[in-house]
Amino acid sequence: MSSTIDYTSPSAQFFFDLNKNTSFKKDNQNFINELSINQVNTLNNTALLDIFLSADNLVEPHYHQNAAELVYCISGSATISVLNPFTKQFNHYPITPGQVVNIPQGWWHYDAADVDHTHLLAIFNAPVIDTVLGSDLLALTPANVIAHTYCVDEKQWKKSVGPVRPGTFIGPRKNCEAYSSNHPNPTTKHSQPYTAPIYPSYYESYPMQNAHYYRY
């Protein structure tokens, strides 16, 4: 036990109703409840996110700079996609109830619901959860920096990322016509073997060498 915790103190907390701490809510089917040392002060390097998703929704690409994450599927079905920074490959892990995916600290990843009523539990080895969101990186990085660094047209970049809003958390946003009309559903299941990439424009230039799919 941690020597910094006084378990005899009247202020020591051992119980909390997670339903009372919703950290993000898109709608009644897509929301995230959060538990950390801020709710239960006797926690010792443990925090969690209780994630509810409906089909075609996903927790946006992000990483946690202070903790590893273990994603456990309680109900429904989801695909957990993780970029391995050592192999430079995106690995996609479909999971159903009772199955888990481990995401090492700082690894870029996203969670996509395959069906309605998907319920995931994300467990972290840190007292609080620090998260860097893809929407924040896209929306807040100066367009001229992106244009200069990657040799892209600044006006086109601004137009492309203009709809992105910081703090998206669960996407796509409501009434997102551009998404539904121009992009395939990234949660769509493909029969084995996988021949259709999730993002065709990317994999046309880098054929399937950068995407690994797993079925259990």
Side-chain angles (χ1 to χ4, degrees):
M1 295 187 296
S2 173
S3 59
T4 62
I5 300 176
D6 182 2
Y7 293 98
T8 66
S9 171
S11 63
Q13 300 167 322
F14 300 96
F15 169 83
F16 183 76
D17 184 351
L18 194 58
N19 297 303
K20 295 182 178 180
N21 190 42
T22 300
S23 59
F24 180 84
K25 185 173 184 178
K26 175 182 176 180
D27 53 40
N28 289 333
Q29 300 299 318
N30 296 275
F31 59 94
I32 302 172
N33 295 329
E34 182 175 349
L35 179 72
S36 73
I37 198 172
N38 295 323
Q39 288 75 47
V40 178
N41 59 18
T42 57
L43 285 175
N44 187 13
N45 266 6
T46 304
L48 62 83
L49 296 176
D50 201 22
I51 304 168
F52 297 84
L53 299 170
S54 60
D56 303 339
N57 284 268
L58 64 154
V59 179
E60 67 165 305
H62 63 282
Y63 67 89
H64 307 285
Q65 68 268 35
N66 72 324
E69 176 182 356
L70 185 67
V71 181
Y72 175 78
C73 184
I74 297 174
S75 63
S77 174
T79 299
I80 313 302
S81 299
V82 184
L83 175 61
N84 186 321
F86 298 98
T87 64
K88 309 299 182 185
Q89 293 173 329
F90 245 117
N91 299 321
H92 307 281
Y93 303 96
I95 57 174
T96 54
Q99 297 179 330
V100 301
V101 174
N102 182 51
I103 305 168
Q105 180 176 336
W107 285 27
W108 187 248
H109 62 283
Y110 56 91
D111 314 325
D114 298 322
V115 298
D116 288 337
H117 308 296
T118 290
H119 185 188
L120 305 174
L121 184 64
I123 306 168
F124 301 84
N125 60 345
V128 293
I129 307 163
D130 291 337
T131 304
V132 177
L133 298 174
S135 58
D136 290 351
L137 296 176
L138 288 171
L140 302 178
T141 302
N144 62 329
V145 172
I146 296 293
H148 178 75
T149 304
Y150 302 112
C151 296
V152 300
D153 183 271
E154 184 175 345
K155 291 182 179 180
Q156 290 184 353
W157 174 258
K158 286 181 177 180
K159 182 178 180 180
S160 296
V161 301
V164 178
R165 296 292 179 265
T168 295
F169 281 100
I170 297 176
R173 69 175 190 274
K174 295 180 180 179
N175 303 319
C176 186
E177 297 179 359
Y179 175 92
S180 60
S181 61
N182 297 328
H183 297 277
N185 177 4
T187 68
T188 300
K189 296 181 179 179
H190 305 288
S191 58
Q192 295 185 7
Y194 288 93
T195 57
I198 288 183
Y199 295 110
S201 60
Y202 175 82
Y203 290 110
E204 284 171 2
S205 301
Y206 303 94
M208 299 301 292
Q209 62 183 5
N210 289 320
H212 284 184
Y213 294 84
Y214 296 83
R215 278 290 178 197
Y216 300 98

